[in-house]
Amino acid sequence: MSSSQQPDAESTIARMRDVLKRQQAAFIAEGPPSVELRIARIDKVIALLQDNQQLLCEALASDFSWRSHDQSLMTDVLLPIAGLKYARKHLRQWMKPERRRAELGAGLLGAKAEIHYQPLGSIGVMTPWNFPVAIAFGPLAEAFAAGNRAMIVLSEFNPATAALLIELLAEKFADTEVAAFIGGAEVGAAFSSLPLDHIIFTGSPRVGRLVMRAAAENLTPLTLELGGKSPTIIARGADLDNAARRIWGGKGISSGQACIAPDYVLVHEDDRERLLVSMQAELPRMFPTIRNNPDYTAMATPGQYQRLQSYLGDAEALGVRCIEINPAGEDLSSVRKIAPTLLIDPPQDALVLQEEIFGPLLPICSYRSIDEAIAYINARPRPLALYYFGDDQAEARHVLAHTYSGGACINEVMQHIFQNSLPFGGCGNSGYGRYRGGDGFKAFSLQRSVFSPARFDVMAMLRPPYGKLFRRVMGLLLRA
């Protein structure tokens, strides 16, 4: 299927329903897959990514009008491959029954209390447009490790990438194992309403609420990764050049179109101007040019480009001091690229402080004390990530203890997503649930409590008719 030949929503919805019915039937008929089959499925996805990395990078670049091939290789090929390999390495251990303590002394007599992990069935994966490959195959690693089948919905804003992924998956798998679809709001709403066994959704809080409402009809459990405005705190005495270098390193990935990109910076008012100097010095070292620089990614869609331009227009209308960093002074008006821009102490009603930015704009906000910075963060919806720069370990611990976010980095940004042993997810307005690091295996499994009694019938003492022995045992248990 070419990107210009997308099926209509009605036929896509009909096919999704048919595929799910057949996946459910195959799941019941075939039973839980063996370790070997789970590994084989994971290996197929790894091979798909390794064998088609150039095609995937080209498709992503086409969808964005331009996206850095090297960054796509890192985020949409290497990252999911690393997660797949991690799941393959650990799945045997994850699958083992987990022993728990048998109560009432039964364990001493040979009773067993265990948690058995069983596959749920069909896992639904709803991907956004910003990292479509990584966010499709990231959860798939643990879905396959847990013994499930999967259905993936890809964004209509990635027509070339979606068409390629649908084709490649169809070559590797029967649709009763995994199937992918492309669609917009209508397809997404129908997908959310399917009686899937778990849905993982990545996107905005607004759409996340719609997914929750639709999934509630079937009581379908959810993992929601919803983004948010991820703050960066720069403490007094921090290495400002290092902070600027690492902030731009993260913000420069897909030109800030990442859910965990630094959204705004909090810096002490006495350090603000020196930080601005560092920010302006470090950016050109990474991006000496913008317009034709293959490392610099365009805005994904015309709508995203116009949204960011409206944020800039709003800031200018409010009299915000804006520093555009366009090292070569290029004219970008005819391309969907926006130069990195610092917005200094914008008012609270500025759009850049009200909405998740998802682009190369970066508000720089001053604070007078670390507790003021903490209060600022806590007065807003809980973010997906938080970053702290500084050498005071006690202060870093204080910040972590008194703020809430899905993940955090100390003296770095965004690198927690590259740690396969760490779970990933949000909290509050930025979502709930976790995957990666084995947490997805548990989320996509039925954690079944299983008790096996000892040969000696311990419970006989606790059955009627009640008498002195029962009361003596109860007395001992109540005092224990």
Side-chain angles (χ1 to χ4, degrees):
M1 180 184 69
S2 72
S3 60
S4 61
Q5 297 174 327
Q6 295 180 26
D8 62 84
E10 185 176 350
S11 62
T12 297
I13 293 168
R15 182 166 179 267
M16 289 192 309
R17 291 171 177 157
D18 173 68
V19 168
L20 179 57
K21 286 181 181 179
R22 289 188 290 106
Q23 283 197 1
Q24 291 170 332
F27 177 75
I28 295 298
E30 297 173 18
S34 65
V35 173
E36 291 74 21
L37 180 54
R38 299 180 197 205
I39 290 174
R41 286 172 173 168
I42 290 172
D43 282 341
K44 283 184 181 182
V45 183
I46 293 172
L48 182 157
L49 289 165
Q50 289 176 331
D51 295 344
N52 298 282
Q53 52 190 271
Q54 184 61 30
L55 288 175
L56 290 166
C57 291
E58 289 172 356
L60 286 162
S62 171
D63 286 334
F64 276 67
S65 80
W66 180 256
R67 192 182 198 233
S68 166
H69 282 211
D70 293 307
Q71 287 184 358
S72 291
L73 196 64
M74 175 175 62
T75 60
D76 279 89
V77 179
L78 175 62
L79 183 60
I81 285 176
L84 288 155
K85 290 181 176 179
Y86 185 89
R88 182 180 65 187
K89 178 180 179 181
H90 291 89
L91 75 85
R92 282 188 172 87
Q93 183 63 37
W94 293 344
M95 289 173 64
K96 291 180 180 178
E98 182 182 333
R99 294 291 296 270
R100 295 291 178 91
R101 180 174 177 267
E103 301 290 343
L104 304 176
L108 298 174
L109 299 171
K112 292 181 180 179
E114 297 178 324
I115 298 175
H116 292 193
Y117 294 99
Q118 294 180 254
L120 290 175
S122 292
I123 308 301
V125 183
M126 303 180 71
T127 70
W129 49 262
N130 58 333
F131 294 99
V133 183
I135 299 176
F137 290 163
L140 188 61
E142 288 176 307
F144 273 169
N148 295 291
R149 293 142 199 276
M151 293 173 61
I152 303 168
V153 168
L154 300 155
S155 171
E156 63 181 341
F157 296 118
N158 304 118
T161 306
L164 178 60
L165 287 177
I166 290 169
E167 178 184 344
L168 295 176
L169 284 169
E171 290 174 357
K172 293 280 186 180
F173 296 96
D175 62 6
T176 52
E177 295 176 289
V178 58
F181 311 86
I182 181 172
E186 185 178 354
V187 169
F191 189 82
S192 307
S193 301
L194 293 174
L196 291 152
D197 297 287
H198 193 108
I199 294 174
I200 177 166
F201 168 80
T202 301
S204 70
R206 180 187 67 81
V207 179
R209 292 182 180 94
L210 298 176
V211 171
M212 285 186 71
R213 291 191 188 103
E217 290 298 317
N218 295 302
L219 298 179
T220 302
L222 298 170
T223 299
L224 300 178
E225 190 273 274
L226 305 179
K229 295 185 71 63
S230 297
T232 300
I233 297 176
I234 300 182
R236 296 303 313 272
D239 183 332
L240 299 180
D241 289 341
N242 176 62
R245 185 179 311 118
R246 293 174 187 268
I247 290 169
W248 282 135
K251 194 75 166 173
I253 294 176
S254 202
S255 293
Q257 297 171 100
C259 56
I260 55 171
D263 195 273
Y264 63 95
V265 173
L266 295 167
V267 62
H268 194 277
E269 58 186 4
D270 292 341
D271 294 334
R272 185 191 65 193
E273 294 305 315
R274 290 192 297 117
L275 174 65
L276 296 178
V277 171
S278 295
M279 297 293 286
Q280 293 176 80
E282 291 296 334
L283 189 282
R285 295 189 175 102
M286 299 180 194
F287 303 107
T289 63
I290 294 175
R291 183 183 174 89
N292 296 315
N293 188 336
D295 294 335
Y296 198 87
T297 295
M299 299 300 98
T301 67
Q304 294 299 323
Y305 177 84
Q306 292 300 327
R307 181 181 60 83
L308 288 166
Q309 291 290 357
S310 74
Y311 289 2
L312 284 171
D314 173 71
E316 291 169 0
L318 292 170
V320 176
R321 177 185 167 200
C322 299
I323 302 175
E324 181 184 87
I325 308 177
N326 186 346
E330 297 166 290
D331 179 5
L332 304 178
S333 60
S334 62
V335 293
R336 287 210 311 255
K337 291 186 175 183
I338 295 176
T341 303
L342 305 174
L343 300 96
I344 319 306
D345 284 323
Q348 293 309 305
D349 59 348
L351 290 175
V352 289
L353 291 184
Q354 294 295 315
E355 305 290 340
E356 185 175 5
I357 293 174
F358 241 67
L361 314 183
L362 187 62
I364 307 293
C365 304
S366 305
Y367 69 82
R368 287 168 292 184
S369 71
I370 195 65
D371 286 333
E372 181 184 357
I374 290 172
Y376 183 93
I377 293 168
N378 287 336
R380 285 151 182 79
R382 292 178 175 177
L384 187 57
L386 180 145
Y387 309 117
Y388 172 89
F389 285 88
D391 297 325
D392 187 333
Q393 295 185 10
E395 184 177 84
R397 289 193 297 269
H398 179 74
V399 169
L400 291 178
H402 292 86
T403 59
Y404 297 86
S405 63
C409 294
I410 306 298
N411 289 316
E412 187 53 279
V413 302
M414 300 175 66
Q415 288 302 305
H416 59 300
I417 191 64
F418 289 95
Q419 313 310 310
N420 285 296
S421 61
L422 292 179
F424 181 72
C427 65
N429 196 63
S430 59
Y432 62 81
R434 295 288 186 274
Y435 69 101
R436 295 169 59 86
D439 284 53
F441 176 89
K442 291 184 176 181
F444 305 147
S445 296
L446 170 60
Q447 300 180 50
R448 196 174 192 181
S449 299
V450 178
F451 177 78
S452 302
R455 288 183 178 273
F456 175 74
D457 188 2
V458 179
M459 296 305 295
M461 296 181 290
L462 303 180
R463 297 192 193 107
Y466 301 121
K468 291 182 179 180
L469 177 60
F470 170 81
R471 296 184 184 97
R472 189 176 301 121
V473 171
M474 288 299 293
L476 290 171
L477 292 174
L478 288 169
R479 289 193 296 272

